[in-house]
Amino acid sequence: MANASPEQDGKGGDDQDRHLHIRLADDRSSIFDFITEYLHAAGKTADWYWRTAGRLEGNEAENLEELLSSAFEAGAFIAHDHPEDLEYLWVTEEECEKERKREERGEQREAAKKDKSLPHYA
């Protein structure tokens, strides 16, 4: 049950020990594509957004606030327009740590496969 609340997931445990993870349901989906789609739909310049995100350093408060605000709005847009593409998971700290380690191992394997000369984007 991807959209289960902690009370509904049947795993028991104390609800206060869990926190929410939101993931794309399909590993082939790209959060960058969804955010770009949102930016276009909102009449915002996607190129500016991605260039700014890639250059962001230090305490650029004005740009950071705009980026975070747009990212938050994009999340709401995705949840509204693409609910089938999202998965909501209530996890414990232990489950979270296991997932983080799996992702790190997976990213290390993927990084080894890729040519290191390819550019990386924010």
Side-chain angles (χ1 to χ4, degrees):
M1 214 188 283
N3 293 336
S5 70
E7 306 84 40
Q8 299 167 332
D9 70 4
K11 293 182 182 176
D14 188 357
D15 294 345
Q16 293 182 2
D17 289 341
R18 295 184 179 272
H19 61 272
L20 181 63
H21 283 199
I22 301 175
R23 302 279 185 252
L24 293 177
D26 185 349
D27 290 340
R28 295 168 295 184
S29 295
S30 168
I31 191 69
F32 298 104
D33 293 340
F34 286 122
I35 292 173
T36 299
E37 180 183 336
Y38 156 73
L39 292 167
H40 286 293
K44 297 185 178 191
T45 308
D47 290 343
W48 172 87
Y49 183 87
W50 294 120
R51 279 194 315 272
T52 302
R55 287 192 317 255
L56 193 61
E57 294 179 14
N59 294 344
E60 297 180 41
E62 290 177 25
N63 286 337
L64 180 59
E65 185 175 342
E66 175 65 25
L67 289 172
L68 290 174
S69 176
S70 292
F72 186 77
E73 291 169 358
F77 169 83
I78 295 166
H80 182 267
D81 285 12
H82 300 280
E84 70 283 356
D85 292 317
L86 298 177
E87 191 174 67
Y88 302 88
L89 305 167
W90 288 94
V91 298
T92 63
E93 285 299 324
E94 181 180 328
E95 293 166 335
C96 183
E97 188 61 30
K98 285 179 184 176
E99 181 179 345
R100 187 174 303 126
K101 287 179 182 177
R102 274 193 311 272
E103 287 175 358
E104 287 173 1
R105 285 192 303 270
E107 288 174 9
Q108 289 171 354
R109 277 189 234 115
E110 287 300 316
K113 292 178 187 177
K114 293 182 180 180
D115 179 7
K116 295 192 189 274
S117 65
L118 293 175
H120 295 270
Y121 298 95

